[in-house]
């Protein structure tokens, strides 16, 4: 039996992480949030007191990262996210982590990888590619509500500006910019519940599994 890979891409707060976990659980597939791999490298550098602007050091760290058991709750810290955005633009780091992500994608019976460049760069031959998106206003509202629900404080305008800034950084970077693969199925969740998005994704995946 060969592995069946599902590639899920999209901008921040579009719902791709939640959808990816639901899909992986439903089909009994392995799941990898590739954004956490960059955060894991950043955390390792911070913990060791190593510089965040030395590409050779960051690459060496990336080559040693173990993708199994990445702890989302630990890696979600804001300082780690800021550090991750600095090392994620380094070509050597991206090459090292893409290689590790491709190795993960080969696990049987199947895998779900979510991120920014899965369908375009990491797994361009994936039999199912989904591009999950939503309007910037909706995504900012979701992120704002998450922060408030977790007991944090935030200004909506600041969160909205952060979402727009993140979009620009992801979509305009020279190496592996965020964009839908040519053969990706578009899921706009602006006015769609997670249950509706899951049903839509399942229909697409089931059809692909029948022809695989």
């Amino acid at each position: 039996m060969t592995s069946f890979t599902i590639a899920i891409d999209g901008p921040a707060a579009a719902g791709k992480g939640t959808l990816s976990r639901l899909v992986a659980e439903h089909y009994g597939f392995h799941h990898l949030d590739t954004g956490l791999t960059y955060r894991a490298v950043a955390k390792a550098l911070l913990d060791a007191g190593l510089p965040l602007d030395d590409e050779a050091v960051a690459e060496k760290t990336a080559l040693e990262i173990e993708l199994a058991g990445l702890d989302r709750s630990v890696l979600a810290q804001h300082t780690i996210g800021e550090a991750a955005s600095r090392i994620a633009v380094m070509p050597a780091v991206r090459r090292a982590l893409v290689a590790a992500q491709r190795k993960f994608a080969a696990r049987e019976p199947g895998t779900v990888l979510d991120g920014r460049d899965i369908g375009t760069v990491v797994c361009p031959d994936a039999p199912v590619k989904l591009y999950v998106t939503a309007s910037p206003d909706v995504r900012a509202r979701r992120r704002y509500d998450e922060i408030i629900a977790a007991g944090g404080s935030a200004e909506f305008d600041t969160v909205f500006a952060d979402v727009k800034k993140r979009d620009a950084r992801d979509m305009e970077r020279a190496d592996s910019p965020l964009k839908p693969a040519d053969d990706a199925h578009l899921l706009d969740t602006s006015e769609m519940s997670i249950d509706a998005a899951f049903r839509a994704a399942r229909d697409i995946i089931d059809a692909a599994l029948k022809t695989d």
Side-chain angles (χ1 to χ4, degrees):
M1 182 177 181
T2 57
S3 180
F4 186 94
T5 301
I6 300 168
I8 303 182
D9 292 304
K16 69 179 182 299
T18 302
L19 180 62
S20 299
R21 290 190 291 275
L22 286 171
V23 167
E25 183 178 356
H26 177 77
Y27 292 99
F29 287 178
H30 304 280
H31 171 247
L32 178 65
D33 175 348
T34 60
L36 293 183
T37 66
Y38 292 92
R39 286 173 173 263
V41 174
K43 183 179 186 300
L45 291 169
L46 291 170
D47 289 350
L50 295 170
L52 295 173
D53 56 359
D54 187 322
E55 188 164 355
V57 170
E59 178 189 23
K60 183 177 184 294
T61 304
L63 289 167
E64 296 168 352
I65 288 295
E66 175 55 55
L67 300 193
L70 297 176
D71 191 331
R72 176 183 305 278
S73 61
V74 172
L75 297 174
Q77 294 174 28
H78 181 72
T79 51
I80 294 174
E82 287 298 305
S85 70
R86 293 178 61 183
I87 58 111
V89 298
M90 298 175 175
V93 172
R94 298 197 72 84
R95 283 194 299 272
L97 291 181
V98 165
Q101 291 159 13
R102 285 176 177 156
K103 185 177 179 181
F104 181 95
R107 293 186 179 186
E108 297 178 356
T111 53
V112 180
L113 282 76
D114 74 81
R116 301 286 191 276
D117 59 352
I118 311 305
T120 53
V121 175
V122 180
C123 300
D125 296 325
V128 173
K129 298 173 190 172
L130 303 176
Y131 189 85
V132 183
T133 189
S135 70
D137 186 70
V138 166
R139 291 187 287 117
R141 177 61 59 186
R142 289 173 182 167
R143 183 57 51 84
Y144 172 82
D145 289 345
E146 281 178 8
I147 295 169
I148 299 303
S153 61
E155 294 288 337
F156 176 77
D157 289 346
T158 302
V159 176
F160 182 76
D162 285 346
V163 165
K164 295 283 284 183
K165 185 167 65 176
R166 177 71 180 271
D167 285 353
R169 189 169 66 211
D170 288 340
M171 294 175 182
E172 295 169 10
R173 68 186 181 211
D175 191 358
S176 309
L178 169 65
K179 62 181 180 180
D182 292 339
D183 54 348
H185 297 270
L186 183 67
L187 286 181
D188 189 325
T189 66
S190 297
E191 298 181 13
M192 185 185 289
S193 69
I194 189 61
D195 288 339
F198 178 50
R199 287 195 301 271
R202 215 168 55 206
D203 288 345
I204 294 165
I205 296 163
D206 286 347
L209 282 167
K210 287 177 183 175
T211 60
D212 186 53

